[in-house]
Amino acid sequence: MKKKINVCLIGMGRAGMIHAKNFATRINHGTLVAICDPSQEALAAAEKELGVMATYTDYREAVLAPTIDAVVIVTPTIYHKEIVLAAAAAGKHILCEKPLAMNEAECDEMIAAAKQHKVKLQVGFMRRFDESFQQAKAIVESGEIGDVVLVKSLTRGPSHPKPWMFDIRNSGGPIGEVNSHDFDTLRWFTESEVANIYAIGGNYRSPEVQADYPDYYDTVSMNLSFKNGMIGAIDGAQYVQYGYDARVEILGTTGNIMIGEQHKQKIVTATRNGQLIRPAMHSWTYLFEDAYIREDQAFIEAIIHDTAPLVTGQDGKMAVKLVNLGLRSLLEKQVVYAE
Ligand SMILES: NC(=O)c1ccc[n+]([C@@H]2O[C@H](COP(=O)([O-])OP(=O)(O)OC[C@H]3O[C@@H](n4cnc5c(N)ncnc54)[C@H](O)[C@@H]3O)[C@@H](O)[C@H]2O)c1
């Protein structure tokens, strides 16, 4: 049994730096030994923050390094498939950020490659490692709220969309950008697969792009039926401006569970105008900081103890499938049935 897993981070952007910092200092038996990014600027910035280590501009070279046991893939989603296939063929264990790939066929290839080469493939749904989510899961399993009837999950981001996001055939809009987490949450708590989905949405905050991108939407609401009879509801939004908002409700036959709050800290300021002021949650990086650490730690544990990851390639594939079904429903303005 190997006691120390050497990790290479591939993709040193926003999410890549979160994982990199974790593996650099916070993960037991896992060590960051190399970083990879085609951008010299990104590599230099990462090196400055993390200290000097092996650097690669080409992932094909990185995955072949004998010193590396595992890779964490945090590149734009379009590159996930080719990097997963190369890493698996080189015998490296893989933690790949969500969404796993662009479509189900790509996911199938990635899952098959990991199986063939006997490496772990874990997908980056870090919410499953969040303490509150895990407590909620334990409460559901204890029967405390009876049988699950309805799971509602929302994710809303504060920032102005990047220009490429307006073309939803490339970005998927909020369904692709943020709601893949919510799909995974619903699958996890219902322990079932989606039977059908209905999505409605619209562009409420960026009217200036309406002419060029008539399909662009910044807000979406989805209703879902599960094969075991449970109900799901998801909403997603971009550019809400008031903060980062991710909350879940699980309604059972005899109780309910709420996960998440809109505020960042416990501090509340009362003013002479009769107002109570409470700082709003501003970023996913803050809200899920501990969840990322636990996710990264769990990846190392799965390698060391040769156990199945909590979030598998199949989980990644199902979320990709639901993103595409949700988008179809939105564009076709009708209920879409899963096979
Ligand atoms: N789990 C989450 O909540 C979460 C949050 C944010 C992003 N993500 C996912 O992480 C991935 C990256 O998103 P981001 O926001 O960090 O993007 P980003 O644009 O900030 O960073 C991507 C980095 O990848 C590099 N890159 C591009 N092609 C590469 C290649 N072939 N090999 C190596 N590096 C390459 C880029 O130069 C860039 O530095 C996406 O799949 C995204 O959906 C997940």
Side-chain angles (χ1 to χ4, degrees), residues 20-311:
K21 281 188 228 158
N22 288 346
F23 283 108
T25 55
R26 296 161 153 175
I27 304 301
N28 295 327
H29 308 294
T31 311
L32 183 69
V33 295
I35 55 177
C36 171
D37 199 298
S39 154
Q40 290 289 359
E41 207 184 329
L43 280 180
E47 251 191 305
K48 197 172 164 201
E49 193 155 349
L50 302 163
V52 179
M53 63 189 74
T55 57
Y56 297 90
T57 50
D58 188 338
Y59 72 83
R60 293 172 201 86
E61 213 185 306
V63 298
L64 293 178
T67 44
I68 292 168
D69 304 304
V71 296
V72 181
I73 300 170
V74 203
T75 64
T77 310
I78 41 168
Y79 305 119
H80 288 181
K81 185 192 96 172
E82 62 185 59
I83 303 176
V84 164
L85 296 188
K92 312 298 181 189
H93 299 288
I94 300 155
L95 169 55
C96 182
E97 260 304 344
K98 55 58 50 184
L100 180 56
M102 302 302 286
N103 55 51
E104 287 173 78
E106 286 190 357
C107 295
D108 281 335
E109 270 189 77
M110 296 153 89
I111 293 166
K115 194 172 169 198
Q116 182 192 347
H117 297 287
K118 297 187 172 51
V119 295
K120 307 289 173 198
L121 172 59
Q122 179 174 323
V123 180
F125 287 126
M126 77 294 181
R127 291 185 190 183
R128 290 204 199 192
F129 297 91
D130 181 89
E131 215 173 348
S132 304
F133 280 69
Q134 294 202 332
Q135 281 172 6
K137 183 74 175 163
I139 294 168
V140 167
E141 284 171 354
S142 74
E144 183 73 29
I145 63 163
D147 295 328
V148 173
V149 173
L150 167 69
V151 186
K152 291 165 80 171
S153 184
L154 66 83
T155 305
R156 303 172 192 157
S159 319
H160 190 274
K162 301 214 166 79
W164 61 269
M165 292 179 184
F166 292 123
D167 182 355
I168 64 164
R169 277 161 187 85
N170 285 335
S171 72
I175 298 178
E177 282 298 301
V178 295
N179 290 136
S180 54
H181 282 296
D182 304 276
F183 286 128
D184 185 64
T185 295
L186 265 60
R187 287 186 63 250
W188 199 41
F189 284 111
T190 60
E191 293 190 353
S192 183
E193 298 301 345
V194 169
N196 60 63
I197 180 167
Y198 181 57
I200 51 173
N203 173 3
Y204 299 89
R205 300 182 193 86
S206 302
E208 71 282 2
V209 304
Q210 184 73 36
D212 288 339
Y213 300 101
D215 289 336
Y216 175 69
Y217 66 100
D218 55 26
T219 304
V220 64
S221 174
M222 294 181 267
N223 283 332
L224 304 94
S225 303
F226 281 82
K227 289 184 175 162
N228 64 1
M230 293 177 190
I231 307 166
I234 291 178
D235 88 54
Q238 281 173 317
Y239 194 30
V240 293
Q241 301 169 58
Y242 67 81
Y244 180 78
D245 200 356
R247 287 173 282 149
V248 176
E249 179 181 6
I250 304 154
L251 175 65
T253 46
T254 59
N256 86 328
I257 304 170
M258 311 284 285
I259 309 173
E261 295 167 324
Q262 277 186 270
H263 45 266
K264 183 181 170 197
Q265 291 138 344
K266 293 196 173 99
I267 185 168
V268 183
T269 308
T271 71
R272 63 181 172 185
N273 302 328
Q275 288 186 315
L276 294 178
I277 300 171
R278 209 162 183 187
M281 181 59 63
H282 65 299
S283 167
W284 50 275
T285 55
Y286 184 89
L287 178 61
F288 290 114
E289 188 179 1
D290 288 344
Y292 278 104
I293 296 172
R294 292 159 65 111
E295 171 184 63
D296 291 335
Q297 187 63 58
F299 176 53
I300 297 301
E301 305 291 333
I303 298 169
I304 288 179
H305 302 295
D306 193 18
T307 51
L310 176 61
V311 191

Side-chain angles (χ1 to χ4, degrees), residues 14 32 51 114 122 132 246 313-314 323 325 329:
R14 293 183 314 162
L32 183 69
Q122 179 174 323
S132 304
Q314 180 65 18
V323 165
L325 281 181
S329 173

